[in-house]
Amino acid sequence: MSVDKSKDYKQQLKDEIIQLKKEKDAVILAHYYQQGEIQDVADFIGDSLALAQIARKLKEKTIVLCGVHFMGETAKILCPDKTVLIPDINAGCSLADSCDPVEFKKFIEDNPGHTVISYVNTSADIKAMTDVVVTSSNAKNIVDQFPEDEKIIFGPDKNLGNYINSITGRKMLLWNGACHVHEQFSVDKLIELKKQYPDAEVLAHPECKKPLLLLADVVGSTAALLKHSIESDCKQFIVATESGILHEMKKSSPEKEFIPLPGEDSTCGCNDCNFMKLNTLEKLRDCLKNGYPEIEVDVDIALKAVKPIERMLEMSK
Ligand code: 13P
Ligand code: SF4
């Protein structure tokens, strides 16, 4: 009988991770875009809002954030006394990188009298000059809580900003940033897939461009799309967000079919975030073992950045 060595190896890694977690008093949080095997070994999985909400309530002294850097920073800012580890310190975010703190500060100074709302996909420096942080889960709800005539700067995602403007009737001033994964979803390929699967519902993340969102049946955060896929009577879904979410969608509804929408120049038929996928089981094991790489945030910046994050959590209740 042939032995599946790779399966044995993966199981061995998972066993080591579970053992190390106990030894180090650590807890693993994973975003829905992580590799399935990381999601399977995590204590909690969620979208960026859920991960921030969970981080604040944990008792363990170490948090391993399997996601990208800004998610680790958010956890560290909310839990400054804890050690926050990330399996790969290079797991960045093109959207967060599209907002340079010096230029964003100038944008704010050039437009005085505006409330600054920033998407959570930003560096701690940007959060420190923000009035309230939002995620794709709560952006509409939080924007709706401001008076209709409130002048608002929204950054850095122009697609999410445009979408919120369109559903709220606001005219928020938008920073010109975007996510390289969601921007490259192809409308042509979506039209082809809609012909192939005429009964399928189209689920899209609001970081996608407007022409694509106009073709979607449901627009929402990863958690909202997952929830819809579970609750809907529909049996097929075309999914326009990072393909990691399909793991939990398939697990939650094994009888349903999930079709990842390919990007414009995607050859794999899916849409991976190269940053999210830098984290691996091996790196997760190593970071638990070594206590490194660790997320560090400048104390003065963290003291400023915590206010708009706490305000978000308060306004999301
Ligand atoms: P969520 O807020 O849906 O978790 O999305 C985070 C993200 O990075 C989207 O690309
Ligand atoms: Fe950033 Fe886009 Fe990756 Fe999300 S999918 S982490 S927004 S680069």
Side-chain angles (χ1 to χ4, degrees):
M1 198 176 72
S2 70
V3 177
D4 184 348
K5 283 200 178 133
S6 64
K7 207 170 163 194
D8 281 354
Y9 177 59
K10 292 272 154 102
Q11 192 51 54
Q12 188 190 317
L13 276 174
K14 286 182 183 175
D15 293 345
E16 278 184 77
I17 289 166
I18 291 163
Q19 183 57 32
L20 282 162
K21 233 175 34 171
K22 278 191 216 139
E23 281 170 25
K24 310 276 178 174
D25 190 23
V27 57
I28 300 174
L29 307 191
H31 189 266
Y32 288 126
Y33 293 165
Q34 290 294 285
Q35 298 183 22
E37 55 202 31
I38 291 186
Q39 294 187 45
D40 288 343
V41 88
D43 298 290
F44 299 96
I45 50 172
D47 67 354
S48 40
L49 175 61
L51 296 182
Q53 286 167 328
I54 293 163
R56 222 175 31 160
K57 295 181 184 154
L58 296 168
K59 57 177 186 352
E60 290 82 356
K61 71 172 194 261
T62 296
I63 298 173
V64 185
L65 202 305
C66 296
V68 291
H69 197 269
F70 76 81
M71 295 175 179
E73 273 190 345
T74 304
K76 181 68 188 175
I77 292 165
L78 285 169
C79 316
D81 298 335
K82 293 193 193 290
T83 301
V84 179
L85 306 176
I86 185 165
D88 191 318
I89 199 74
N90 295 315
C93 168
S94 58
L95 177 52
D97 289 347
S98 70
C99 196
D100 175 72
V102 175
E103 287 171 28
F104 194 64
K105 185 165 183 279
K106 185 165 182 312
F107 186 59
I108 296 171
E109 284 165 358
D110 289 347
N111 295 284
H114 284 68
T115 293
V116 181
I117 300 185
S118 294
Y119 193 26
V120 70
N121 296 43
T122 45
S123 65
D125 287 332
I126 298 294
K127 290 186 178 80
M129 50 182 106
T130 290
D131 294 303
V132 60
V133 168
V134 297
T135 75
S136 49
S137 269
N138 58 23
K140 179 183 181 299
N141 173 16
I142 288 181
V143 168
D144 278 343
Q145 293 179 50
F146 286 93
E148 270 174 37
D149 57 354
E150 185 93 12
K151 292 202 260 165
I152 298 174
I153 284 176
F154 186 94
D157 190 25
K158 64 179 177 205
N159 295 315
L160 175 63
N162 262 318
Y163 174 68
I164 299 296
N165 273 345
S166 74
I167 58 173
T168 59
R170 303 264 175 168
K171 291 190 175 61
M172 299 188 299
L173 215 48
L174 306 182
W175 180 259
N176 188 21
C179 155
H180 73 299
V181 178
H182 288 85
E183 278 245 302
Q184 65 139 336
F185 280 114
S186 160
V187 168
D188 288 348
K189 287 185 181 168
L190 177 55
I191 292 168
E192 274 172 39
L193 280 177
K194 274 170 77 76
K195 280 190 200 143
Q196 214 178 320
Y197 300 94
D199 296 329
E201 284 188 329
V202 178
L203 311 180
H205 197 281
E207 288 173 20
C208 297
K209 287 181 181 170
K210 186 173 180 183
L212 196 131
L213 294 181
L214 289 173
L215 294 171
D217 296 295
V218 180
V219 177
S221 69
T222 45
L225 299 181
L226 171 65
K227 184 167 182 280
H228 181 84
S229 74
I230 295 167
E231 291 172 355
S232 169
D233 291 333
C234 194
K235 295 281 176 259
Q236 291 175 321
F237 301 88
I238 300 169
V239 183
T241 189
E242 213 269 358
S243 53
I245 186 68
L246 269 72
H247 181 71
E248 190 56 27
M249 284 178 168
K250 286 178 185 166
K251 259 175 96 170
S252 303
S253 309
E255 75 290 2
K256 297 182 180 176
E257 188 179 2
F258 297 94
I259 304 115
L261 178 64
E264 202 68 69
D265 34 61
S266 164
T267 46
C268 64
C270 66
N271 233 310
D272 280 344
C273 169
N274 50 315
F275 296 113
M276 284 279 182
K277 291 331 195 243
L278 280 176
N279 295 327
T280 61
L281 274 184
E282 282 91 346
K283 291 180 195 171
L284 171 54
R285 187 259 328 262
D286 292 346
C287 89
L288 270 166
K289 199 193 253 179
N290 305 327
Y292 177 88
E294 184 176 349
I295 300 275
E296 313 235 26
V297 183
D298 176 89
V299 176
D300 292 334
I301 294 290
L303 284 174
K304 288 184 188 150
V306 75
K307 291 181 190 154
I309 302 174
E310 292 281 10
R311 194 170 173 197
M312 167 185 81
L313 295 173
E314 200 49 46
M315 290 175 87
S316 317
K317 278 182 182 162

